[in-house]
C-alpha cells in the first residue's frame, strides 16, 4: 500500500518549487532567529549562557535517543515507537542496579566513577537485549506484512514496556539519586556546573564513538549496506537478521545510556517519560534528516537548544507546539532534513 | 417471502452481511437487554454504549483515510478535537468570556454540520501541503499535527478556558420524541424533547442513527467513482495518475472526508459529555482509533466497526471493571489478604489489575497483529487472497 | 501514407537530463495520425524516458511536445490522460488488489461526471452512470479477450492477461493516442501474433498506436514507421524496410557505436 508510494519515480516526489520552498524555509528560520535575538538581548548574558548549557545537555541526550530512531528507520523503515520506552527503561534498570553496587545519594565522590560506569554498561546491555527481543517477537515476523502491522505492534510494545515499568515501580515518578558533584564555577560570564560538563561529555563521547564505529567497523559497513539495499547486501553475504539485531541492540544501548544520563541530570524518571521524550527525539531525527547519523546528533542538539530557549525566553506551554511545528515544517519544506542526504528508497 | 429467502441464502455466507445483521440486531436489542439484566438500572451501560458509538463513527471515518486511500494518519484525534471544540464554542456560554464577549448558541443539528465542515477544512488545510509526501512522512506530519492541536486548544485560554475545558454545553432538542419501555418509562410522545444526560437511551438512539447514515454514505462512496480512485491511488499512485486520476485531489478528499467524520463525532461527543477538555484528544486516542481499524480489518467498513466495538468494550468496560471484579473474586475465595496492600510493594489486587491495563492493551495489539495481520474481518478480497494463495485462477471476486 | 494530415504528436528538440546524464538528447519526430508508430533502440537508449516526457511523468529539460496542436510538455500526468493520451507500463502496473473490471473502471474515471454529492447519496444520475460504465468496461474486457476474468483480482491473472488488462484499462480512458511500452515482452510467439491482431483492432477504432518494442519481428510487421534511439539520440527514422538496412541502426544493435 505504502510500498506503492515508494515505487514512484523520484522525480514525482521532488516537487518543482523546491527552490521556492527552501527560500520560504530560510525566511522562517531567519525570522525565528531575529525574534530570539531580540529576546536574548533583553536578558543578561549569564542567563543566556546558563540556558545555552541546559540546551546543549538536553540536546546531547536527545541526540543519543534520536540515533536509535534514525538507525532503525534507516535499516527497516519502521518508526520504533518502543524506543522512547527503552530509554526510560535505562533509567529504571540503573535505579535497580545502584543498590547492588552500593551506590547511594549523598556520598558522591571519585570512588563512584567505576561502579557508575559498570552500572551504565550493564544497563546498556540490558536495554539492548530488551530491544533485540522486541524486534524478534514483534517486528521480524511482520517484515513482509503490510506496512501498518509492525507499526501497530511497535505501539503495542511501547504500551507493554510502559505497563511493565508502571507495574514494577508504580505510577509515581521516582527520585533518581544525585550522584554528580553539584559544584559550579565561573568562566567569565559563564556559570557552569560540573554536572553539566559530565553529562555533556559522557553523551558526546558516546555519540562520537558510535559515529566512528558506524563509519569504520565491519558491522557498521554491513548496517549501511543493509540500509541501502537489503537484497543486495544479502547477496554480498551479509547476514541481514544479525545486522538488524545489532542495529536494535546498539540503538537501545545508546537509549539506555541516555536514560541514565537523563536521570543523573534531571533527577527523576516516571513510566511514561519515554513517550514525549521519544517523540521529541524522533522529531530531532527527522529534523536532522531521518536515516542520517550525524543528522540525528545535530538534530538532537538543535531541538535541545530550541526547547531550552523556548522554555525560558518565551512560554513553556508553547514549546511542544513549536517543536512539533518544526517537525511538520521540516517535512514540508525540506523532507530530507537539515543535512539533506537522501534516504535510499527501497 | 420467496425473495427474502433468496436474499438470505445469497448472503448467509457473506461475512459482511452477517456482521451487519449481527450489529443491527445487537444495536436494537442492547438497551432492552442491559436494562433487563440490571433490573432497570442499566442506564450507565446504555450511556457507555452511546460513547462507544462515537468510536464506531471515528473508526468508520479513519477507515476512509487509512483503509480506502492508504494514507497513514497518526493524528486523527486532532480532527476529533476540532469537532468537539467547534461545538463547545458555538453551543455554550463559553464565548462570553472570550475576546468577542458574546455567547453563541447554535442549535445542535446545525453545529453538527459546522463541526463536520470545520474538521474537513482543517483536514484539507493540513493535507494540501503535505499529501505529496511519501507515506511514512505523511504519517509523521499527522502525528505532529495530532500533538499540536490539543496543546493549541489548551494554550488558547481566552477562548477555550485552557486545561479546565469548556463545560455546560447546550443539549440537542427535538420538537417531539417517542419514549417507551426501552427507556424504562411508559410509551408516550414527549414534546419539546431535550437530550439530557440522565436519558442515555436518547443519546444512544441518536448515535445509532448517525452510524447508520454514515455507513450508508461511506458504502456509497466505496462503490463510487471516488472510491475506486482512492483504491487506485492506494494500489499504485503513478498508474492511477496515468489513468487520469488527479491523485492530489483524490487524496485530499479522502483526508477531508475522513476528518469530517471525526468532526461530527466530536460534536456529538462534546454535546453528550457536556464537557470538552484538551486531555480527551491525546496521541493514545489517535492510536486507539487506528488500532480499531487495523484490528477489525482495514478497508472493510463492518470490520472497522467491529474492531471499534471490541476494542472499546475491552478498554472502557472490561478493563475498568476488572479491578473490582478481581477484588470480589479474591474475597469470595477467602483470600482477602490479596486485597490489602502490603509494605513490600504489593499494591492490592485491585490496584495491581489496574496497573496491568497498559500491558493488556499492548498484548492485544501485538497478539492480534501477529496472529491475524489482515485483521479480524478483512475486506473479502484480501481474506480470499490470504486463503487461496497468490496465483489462483479460480479466485473470484464477488463484490 | 497520410503525410498531408497534421501529426497527432510532434516532438520538437526534446531534451531530458538527470543531473549530468542526458537521457534524451534533442529528439524530434512526428507521429502521424491513425498509424502504428514504433520506437526502438538498445537498452538504456532513453525510450521509456521519452514516453515519460510525453505523458507528463517527466518534465522535459527543453523542447516541445505538441499533442493535437498544443504544447503539453510539463503537463501533469492526469491532465495528459484527460487530453487523450493513455499508456501501459513496461513492468506491468495494475491495481493488484482490485478486480479486473474495477481496474478498467478506473480507466473510465476521467470520462465520468458523478460529483462527490452523487457519490455519497448514490443519486439516480450516479447509478445510471455506474451502470453504463460497468457495461463499457465489460466491453473493453471483451475487446482484449479477458471478459471471463472480470471478477478476478488483477494480481491473480496470468501474465499475458495482465498485459491485456493494462491495454483494456488504457483504452477505457478513450484515448486518441495509445502508448504501449514493450507490450510483447515475455510473450510466447502465439501470444505475439494475438497481440499484433489486437493492435490492428485498436487502429481500426481510429486510435493511433505508439509503441516501444524489442521484438523486431513484431515491430517490422505491425508498424508503419519507426524511430530508432541510441544513447538518447535519434539515429534513424523511416518505414521498417528502410530502417532495417540503415548502417547506424545495425551498428547500434551490434554494439559498434558504444
Amino acid at each position: 500500500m505504502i510500498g506503492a508510494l515508494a515505487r514512484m519515480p523520484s522525480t514525482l516526489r521532488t516537487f518543482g518549487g523546491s527552490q521556492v520552498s527552501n527560500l520560504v524555509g530560510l525566511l522562517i528560520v531567519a525570522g525565528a532567529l531575529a525574534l530570539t535575538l531580540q529576546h536574548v538581548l533583553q536578558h543578561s548574558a549569564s542567563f543566556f549562557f546558563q540556558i545555552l548549557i541546559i540546551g546543549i545537555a538536553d540536546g546531547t541526550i536527545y541526540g543519543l535517543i534520536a540515533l536509535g530512531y534514525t538507525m532503525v528507520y534507516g535499516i527497516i523503515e519502521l518508526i520504533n515507537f518502543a524506543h522512547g520506552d527503552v530509554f526510560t527503561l535505562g533509567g529504571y534498570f540503573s535505579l535497580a542496579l545502584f543498590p547492588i553496587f552500593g551506590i547511594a545519594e549523598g556520598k558522591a565522590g571519585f570512588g563512584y566513577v567505576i561502579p557508575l560506569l559498570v552500572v551504565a554498561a550493564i544497563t546498556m546491555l540490558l536495554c539492548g537485549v530488551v530491544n533485540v527481543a522486541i524486534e524478534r517477537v514483534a517486528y521480524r515476523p511482520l517484515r513482509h506484512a503490510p506496512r501498518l502491522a509492525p507499526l501497530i505492534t511497535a505501539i503495542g510494545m511501547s504500551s507493554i514496556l510502559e505497563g511493565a515499568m508502571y507495574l514494577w515501580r508504580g505510577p509515581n515518578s521516582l527520585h533518581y539519586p544525585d550522584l554528580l558533584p553539584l559544584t559550579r564555577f565561573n568562566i567569565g560570564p559563564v556559570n557552569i556546573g560540573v554536572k553539566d560538563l559530565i553529562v555533556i561529555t559522557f553523551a558526546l563521547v558516546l555519540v562520537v564513538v558510535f559515529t566512528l564505529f558506524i563509519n569504520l567497523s565491519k558491522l557498521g559497513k554491513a548496517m549501511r549496506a543493509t540500509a541501502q539495499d537489503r537484497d543486495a547486501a544479502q547477496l554480498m553475504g551479509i547476514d541481514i537478521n544479525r545486522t538488524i539485531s545489532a542495529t536494535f541492540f546498539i540503538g537501545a544501548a545508546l537509549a539506555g545510556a541516555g536514560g541514565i544520563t537523563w536521570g543523573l541530570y534531571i533527577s527523576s524518571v516516571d513510566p511514561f517519560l519515554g513517550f514525549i521524550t521519544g517523540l521529541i527525539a524522533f522529531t530531532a531525527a527527522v529534523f536532522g534528516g531521518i536515516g542520517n547519523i550525524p543528522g540525528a546528533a545535530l538534530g538532537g542538539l538543535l531541538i535541545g537548544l530550541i526547547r531550552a530557549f523556548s522554555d525560558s525566553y518565551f512560554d513553556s506551554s508553547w514549546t511542544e507546539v513549536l517543536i512539533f511545528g518544526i517537525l511538520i515544517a521540516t517535512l514540508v519544506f525540506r523532507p530530507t532534513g537539515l543535512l539533506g542526504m537522501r534516504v535510499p528508497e527501497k | 417471502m420467496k425473495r427474502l429467502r433468496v436474499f438470505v441464502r445469497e448472503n448467509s455466507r457473506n461475512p459482511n452481511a452477517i456482521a451487519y445483521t449481527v450489529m443491527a440486531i445487537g444495536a436494537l436489542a442492547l438497551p432492552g437487554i442491559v436494562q433487563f439484566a440490571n433490573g432497570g438500572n442499566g442506564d450507565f451501560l446504555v450511556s457507555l454504549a452511546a460513547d462507544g458509538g462515537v468510536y464506531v463513527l471515528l473508526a468508520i471515518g479513519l477507515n476512509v483515510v487509512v483503509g480506502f486511500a492508504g494514507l497513514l494518519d497518526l493524528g486523527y484525534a486532532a480532527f476529533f478535537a476540532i469537532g468537539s471544540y467547534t461545538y463547545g464554542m458555538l453551543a455554550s456560554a463559553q464565548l462570553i468570556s472570550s475576546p468577542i464577549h458574546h455567547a453563541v448558541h447554535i442549535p445542535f443539528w446545525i453545529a453538527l454540520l459546522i463541526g463536520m465542515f470545520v474538521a474537513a477544512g482543517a483536514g484539507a488545510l493540513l493535507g494540501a501541503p503535505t499529501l505529496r509526501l511519501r507515506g511514512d512522512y505523511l504519517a509523521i506530519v499527522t502525528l505532529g499535527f495530532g500533538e499540536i492541536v490539543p496543546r493549541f486548544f489548551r494554550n488558547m485560554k481566552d477562548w477555550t478556558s485552557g486545561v479546565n475545558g469548556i463545560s455546560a454545553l447546550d443539549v440537542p432538542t427535538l420538537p417531539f420524541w417517542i419514549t417507551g419501555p426501552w427507556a424504562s418509562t411508559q410509551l408516550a410522545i414527549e414534546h419539546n424533547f431535550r437530550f439530557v444526560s440522565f436519558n442515555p437511551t436518547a443519546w444512544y438512539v441518536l448515535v445509532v442513527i448517525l452510524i447508520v447514515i454514515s455507513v450508508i454514505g461511506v458504502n456509497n462512496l466505496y462503490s463510487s467513482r471516488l472510491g475506486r480512485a482512492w483504491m487506485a491511488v492506494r494500489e499504485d499512485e503513478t498508474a492511477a495518475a496515468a489513468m487520469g486520476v488527479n491523485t492530489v485531489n483524490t487524496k485530499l478528499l479522502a483526508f477531508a472526508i475522513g476528518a469530517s467524520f471525526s468532526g461530527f463525532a466530536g460534536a456529538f461527543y462534546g454535546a453528550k459529555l457536556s464537557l470538552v477538555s484538551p486531555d480527551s484528544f491525546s496521541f493514545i486516542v489517535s492510536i486507539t482509533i487506528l488500532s480499531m481499524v487495523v484490528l477489525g480489518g482495514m478497508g472493510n467498513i463492518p470490520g472497522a466497526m467491529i474492531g471499534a466495538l471490541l476494542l472499546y468494550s475491552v478498554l472502557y468496560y472490561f478493563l475498568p471493571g476488572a479491578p473490582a471484579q478481581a477484588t470480589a473474586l479474591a474475597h469470595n475465595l477467602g483470600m482477602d489478604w490479596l486485597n490489602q496492600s502490603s509494605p513490600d510493594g504489593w499494591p492490592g489486587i485491585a490496584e495491581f489489575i489496574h496497573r496491568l491495563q497498559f500491558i493488556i492493551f499492548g498484548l492485544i495489539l501485538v497478539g492480534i497483529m501477529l496472529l491475524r495481520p489482515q485483521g479480524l474481518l478483512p475486506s473479502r478480497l484480501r481474506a480470499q487472497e490470504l486463503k487461496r494463495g497468490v496465483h489462483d485462477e479460480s479466485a473470484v471476486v464477488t463484490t | 501514407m497520410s503525410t498531408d494530415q497534421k501529426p497527432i504528436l510532434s516532438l520538437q528538440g526534446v531534451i531530458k537530463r538527470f543531473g549530468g546524464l542526458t537521457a534524451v538528447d534533442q529528439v524530434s519526430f512526428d507521429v502521424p495520425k491513425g498509424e502504428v508508430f514504433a520506437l526502438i533502440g538498445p537498452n538504456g537508449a532513453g525510450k521509456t524516458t521519452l514516453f515519460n516526457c510525453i505523458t507528463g511523468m517527466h518534465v522535459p529539460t527543453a523542447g516541445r511536445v505538441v499533442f493535437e496542436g498544443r504544447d503539453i510538455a510539463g503537463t501533469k500526468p492526469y491532465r495528459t490522460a484527460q487530453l487523450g493520451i493513455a499508456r501501459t507500463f513496461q513492468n506491468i502496473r495494475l491495481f493488484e488488489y482490485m478486480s479486473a473490471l474495477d481496474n478498467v473502471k478506473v480507466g473510465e474515471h476521467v470520462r465520468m461526471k458523478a460529483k462527490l454529492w452523487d457519490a455519497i447519496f448514490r443519486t439516480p444520475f450516479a447509478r445510471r452512470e455506474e451502470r453504463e460504465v460497468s457495461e463499457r468496461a465489460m466491453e473493453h474486457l471483451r475487446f482484449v479477450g479477458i471478459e471471463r476474468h472480470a471478477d478476478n483480482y488483477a494480481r491473480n491473472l496470468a501474465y499475458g492477461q495482465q498485459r491485456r488488462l493494462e491495454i483494456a484499462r488504457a483504452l477505457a480512458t478513450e484515448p486518441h493516442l495509445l502508448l504501449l511500452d514493450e507490450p510483447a515482452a515475455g510473450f510466447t510467439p502465439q501470444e505475439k501474433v494475438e497481440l499484433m491482431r489486437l493492435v490492428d483492432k485498436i487502429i481500426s477504432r481510429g486510435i493511433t498506436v505508439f509503441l516501444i518494442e524489442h521484438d523486431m519481428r513484431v515491430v517490422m510487421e505491425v508498424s508503419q514507421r519507426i524511430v530508432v534511439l541510441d544513447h538518447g539520440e535519434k539515429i534513424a527514422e523511416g518505414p521498417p524496410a528502410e530502417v532495417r538496412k540503415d548502417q547506424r541502426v545495425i551498428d547500434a544493435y551490434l554494439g559498434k557505436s558504444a
Side-chain angles (χ1 to χ4, degrees):
Chain A
M1 175 181 60
I2 288 162
L5 288 178
R7 279 204 300 272
M8 284 162 58
S10 56
T11 39
L12 266 184
R13 245 175 289 112
T14 54
F15 42 100
S18 72
Q19 294 293 329
V20 177
S21 63
N22 271 347
L23 197 69
V24 173
L26 268 179
L27 282 176
I28 293 175
V29 172
L33 282 179
L35 199 66
T36 314
L37 194 67
Q38 190 215 334
H39 277 76
V40 165
L41 291 176
Q42 286 168 4
H43 293 77
S44 69
S46 66
F47 183 68
F48 171 81
F49 284 112
Q50 206 175 328
I51 302 307
L52 186 71
I53 286 161
I54 292 175
I56 293 173
D58 277 357
T60 44
I61 300 176
Y62 286 133
L64 271 181
I65 311 170
L67 284 173
Y69 277 113
T70 233
M71 284 163 64
V72 167
Y73 191 89
I75 206 158
I76 57 172
E77 292 194 15
L78 169 74
I79 305 170
N80 180 13
F81 276 105
H83 189 71
D85 302 298
V86 172
F87 153 80
T88 322
L89 213 49
Y92 272 67
F93 280 147
S94 55
L95 267 182
L97 287 167
F98 285 149
I100 298 172
F101 288 85
I103 299 174
E105 196 168 48
K107 294 187 286 179
F110 277 108
Y112 273 172
V113 172
I114 300 296
L116 199 54
L117 286 177
V118 172
V119 167
I122 299 176
T123 303
M124 289 166 75
L125 185 79
L126 289 174
C127 287
V129 170
V130 168
N131 211 26
V132 168
I134 290 175
E135 193 269 332
R136 267 283 162 78
V137 174
Y139 306 154
R140 189 173 298 177
L142 295 171
R143 212 173 277 165
H144 301 287
R147 198 64 170 277
L148 264 175
L151 199 76
I152 298 282
T153 53
I155 293 161
M157 289 316 300
S158 162
S159 182
I160 290 173
L161 289 186
E162 285 171 11
M165 288 183 280
Y166 187 65
L167 199 63
W168 183 17
R169 303 293 294 265
N172 301 324
S173 73
L174 303 174
H175 175 68
Y176 203 93
D178 271 318
L179 299 175
L180 300 180
L182 299 171
T183 331
R184 304 188 70 86
F185 56 91
N186 285 313
I187 308 173
V190 190
N191 180 272
I192 194 167
V194 176
K195 183 169 146 178
D196 300 314
L197 279 182
I198 293 176
V199 163
I200 294 170
T201 315
F202 180 64
L204 268 185
V205 165
L206 277 176
V207 169
V208 170
V209 166
F210 170 74
T211 312
L212 288 177
F213 174 79
I214 289 286
N215 282 330
L216 302 177
S217 75
K218 210 176 149 194
L219 184 61
K221 208 176 273 178
M223 280 177 188
R224 280 179 291 142
T226 311
Q228 285 279 339
D229 188 330
R230 203 185 296 163
D231 296 332
Q234 194 151 25
L235 286 174
M236 293 298 119
I238 292 171
D239 183 342
I240 301 298
N241 285 335
R242 248 194 62 205
T243 311
I244 292 177
S245 288
T247 309
F248 273 83
F249 184 89
I250 295 170
L254 292 175
I260 299 175
T261 325
W262 182 278
L264 290 173
Y265 195 61
I266 310 288
S267 301
S268 84
V269 286
D270 68 80
F272 306 104
L273 169 70
F275 172 69
I276 191 70
T277 316
L279 280 186
I280 293 173
F282 179 70
T283 301
V286 173
F287 194 31
I290 189 116
N292 182 326
I293 285 165
L298 177 69
L301 189 63
L302 289 175
I303 291 288
L305 286 170
I306 289 168
R307 180 165 191 180
F309 278 96
S310 166
D311 275 354
S312 343
Y313 283 97
F314 301 97
D315 180 347
S316 62
S317 64
W318 286 98
T319 297
E320 278 160 10
V321 174
L322 176 68
I323 287 174
F324 293 116
I326 289 173
L327 176 70
I328 295 180
T330 307
L331 289 173
V332 170
F333 295 117
R334 200 174 166 85
T336 51
L338 285 180
L339 293 195
M341 264 190 262
R342 188 159 272 284
V343 190
E345 301 291 344
K346 276 174 280 205
Chain B
M1 204 56 205
K2 192 181 164 211
R3 276 175 66 188
L4 181 71
R5 224 179 302 138
V6 171
F7 180 79
V8 168
R9 196 179 326 121
E10 274 178 356
N11 287 287
S12 61
R13 282 167 178 280
N14 174 348
N16 277 1
I18 295 169
Y20 277 131
T21 314
V22 169
M23 280 192 284
I25 295 172
L28 282 176
L30 184 122
I33 290 174
V34 298
Q35 294 291 7
F36 181 75
N38 290 277
N41 297 317
D43 272 5
F44 79 100
L45 282 175
V46 178
S47 178
L48 200 67
D51 291 339
V54 173
Y55 277 87
V56 174
L57 283 174
L58 291 169
I60 292 172
L62 186 60
N63 184 46
V64 170
V65 184
V66 181
F68 292 171
L71 305 165
L72 182 48
D73 188 341
L74 292 178
Y76 193 59
F79 304 115
F80 186 37
I82 289 169
S84 290
Y85 268 98
T86 305
Y87 185 72
M89 285 194 249
L90 295 184
S92 72
Q94 176 64 24
L95 292 184
I96 292 179
S97 54
S98 80
I100 62 168
H101 300 298
H102 269 285
V104 178
H105 291 280
I106 291 177
F108 174 80
W109 312 105
I110 297 170
L112 199 64
L113 292 177
I114 296 177
M116 200 170 128
F117 282 114
V118 171
L125 217 60
L126 175 68
T130 55
L131 278 172
R132 55 182 162 64
L133 296 171
R134 41 188 284 226
D136 290 27
Y137 284 7
L138 179 68
I140 301 166
V141 164
T142 54
L143 189 158
F145 187 68
E147 291 301 307
I148 288 176
V149 168
R151 286 180 174 81
F152 177 81
F153 284 126
R154 193 189 59 207
N155 289 345
M156 297 298 284
K157 295 183 190 72
D158 291 348
W159 296 85
T160 63
S161 306
V163 282
N164 299 323
I166 304 171
S167 52
L169 274 55
D170 299 347
V171 295
T173 53
L174 276 180
F176 63 89
W177 184 260
I178 305 165
T179 61
W182 53 86
S184 344
T185 58
Q186 289 192 317
L187 190 66
I189 291 180
E190 266 184 60
H191 290 280
N192 295 327
F193 181 76
R194 289 165 53 81
F195 285 74
V196 284
S197 56
F198 51 79
N199 183 359
T201 313
W203 290 102
Y204 176 81
V205 171
L206 178 57
V207 81
V208 169
I209 291 171
L210 289 178
I211 290 171
V212 169
I213 295 172
S214 305
V215 167
I216 293 171
V218 173
N219 248 316
N220 286 347
L221 279 173
Y222 177 75
S223 54
S224 77
R225 167 180 190 239
L226 184 58
R228 274 195 305 275
W230 282 337
M231 279 171 274
V233 167
R234 178 188 75 199
E235 295 294 320
D236 188 332
E237 198 166 336
T238 306
M243 291 306 118
V245 176
N246 184 339
T247 53
V248 173
N249 282 357
T250 304
K251 290 196 282 184
L252 208 54
L253 265 177
F255 223 61
I257 289 174
S260 71
F261 276 92
S262 191
F264 86 73
F268 175 89
Y269 175 83
K272 179 172 180 303
L273 203 63
S274 202
L275 173 72
V276 180
S277 111
D279 303 329
S280 317
F281 312 103
S282 58
F283 181 65
I284 196 72
V285 175
S286 299
I287 290 307
T288 305
I289 306 164
L290 181 65
S291 307
M292 287 168 170
V293 174
V294 177
L295 293 184
M298 250 196 320
N300 195 27
I301 303 163
M305 293 168 72
I306 283 178
L309 290 171
L310 282 181
L311 206 54
Y312 180 80
S313 29
V314 170
L315 290 179
Y316 294 90
Y317 179 64
F318 292 112
L319 283 184
Q325 299 216 342
T327 307
L329 185 69
H331 177 73
N332 290 339
L333 294 174
M335 296 193 284
D336 272 315
W337 54 272
L338 268 177
N339 293 337
Q340 311 298 324
S341 60
S342 74
D344 61 354
W346 173 253
I349 190 142
E351 178 63 16
F352 179 78
I353 301 282
H354 175 70
R355 288 181 189 177
L356 264 180
Q357 59 181 331
F358 294 98
I359 296 186
I360 295 172
F361 178 61
L363 285 176
I364 292 173
L365 296 190
V366 175
I368 297 193
M369 276 302 99
L370 291 181
L371 297 173
R372 219 175 144 77
Q374 77 275 31
L376 295 171
L377 185 68
S379 69
R380 266 197 280 165
L381 299 175
R382 281 191 196 258
Q384 175 185 298
E385 172 72 12
L386 288 158
K387 246 184 277 157
R388 299 203 193 175
V390 179
H391 283 290
D392 188 342
E393 282 279 285
S394 65
V396 173
V397 181
T398 40
T399 28
Chain C
M1 204 178 291
S2 50
T3 38
D4 51 319
Q5 241 184 344
K6 265 196 167 173
I8 186 164
L9 178 76
S10 169
L11 301 193
Q12 298 162 10
V14 173
I15 301 175
K16 178 67 196 174
R17 286 197 197 94
F18 296 106
L21 179 89
T22 306
V24 174
D25 198 3
Q26 287 281 4
V27 171
S28 306
F29 58 81
D30 289 349
V31 178
K33 206 171 187 154
E35 291 187 359
V36 179
F37 192 90
L39 180 62
I40 63 171
N43 280 327
K47 305 183 296 292
T48 297
T49 307
L50 197 63
F51 262 28
N52 287 343
C53 286
I54 297 169
T55 53
M57 289 169 70
H58 291 337
V59 181
T61 313
R64 279 157 54 87
V65 178
V66 180
F67 175 69
E68 295 185 330
R70 64 199 274 187
D71 187 2
I72 58 160
T75 309
K76 291 255 183 323
Y78 77 91
R79 275 296 295 159
T80 61
Q82 286 169 358
L83 291 173
I85 302 180
R87 71 170 293 177
T88 64
F89 294 89
Q90 189 179 347
N91 45 345
I92 305 172
R93 299 184 79 150
L94 289 165
F95 309 120
E96 294 192 343
Y97 283 98
M98 292 170 78
S99 69
L101 188 69
D102 275 347
N103 266 274
V104 180
K105 280 161 111 182
V106 172
E108 306 261 8
H109 182 90
V110 266
R111 308 295 163 213
M112 290 176 76
K113 292 186 180 64
K115 295 278 179 294
L116 180 60
W117 181 264
D118 298 306
I120 294 175
F121 296 99
R122 202 184 288 219
T123 55
F125 171 75
R127 279 186 226 190
R128 196 177 60 237
E129 188 180 56
E130 197 65 25
R131 215 172 26 243
E132 288 167 3
V133 161
S134 293
E135 279 164 21
R136 272 208 304 273
M138 268 320 274
E139 266 169 45
H140 286 300
L141 287 176
R142 219 169 284 134
F143 184 76
V144 300
I146 54 168
E147 72 277 12
R148 276 195 313 123
H149 302 283
D151 289 335
N152 283 13
Y153 248 170
R155 65 173 301 170
N156 287 345
L157 299 186
Y159 178 79
Q161 293 163 347
Q162 291 194 350
R163 284 244 178 253
R164 284 161 181 272
L165 177 55
E166 247 200 335
I167 294 175
R169 184 179 69 177
L171 287 174
T173 67
E174 294 173 19
H176 307 164
L177 175 66
L178 176 62
L179 308 185
L180 302 176
D181 199 343
E182 297 198 22
F187 272 14
T188 61
Q190 171 63 26
E191 284 174 322
K192 283 176 184 167
V193 172
E194 285 168 17
L195 176 79
M196 286 188 263
R197 232 179 274 147
L198 182 60
V199 169
D200 283 341
K201 269 165 72 185
I202 295 169
I203 287 292
S204 66
R205 284 183 154 198
I207 298 168
T208 309
V209 175
F210 180 9
L211 54 86
I212 294 176
E213 188 47 67
H214 268 303
D215 188 303
M216 279 307 140
R217 259 197 50 219
V218 174
V219 172
M220 296 301 161
E221 199 152 320
V222 83
S223 49
Q224 275 101 49
R225 208 169 167 78
I226 298 175
V227 158
V228 189
L229 277 194
D230 186 28
H231 289 99
E233 288 176 53
K234 184 174 92 173
I235 56 171
E237 181 179 1
E242 255 175 52
V243 167
R244 203 195 320 233
K245 283 182 240 141
D246 190 298
Q247 191 55 43
R248 287 185 69 188
V249 176
I250 295 165
D251 288 349
Y253 271 88
L254 295 179
K256 263 193 200 166
S257 68

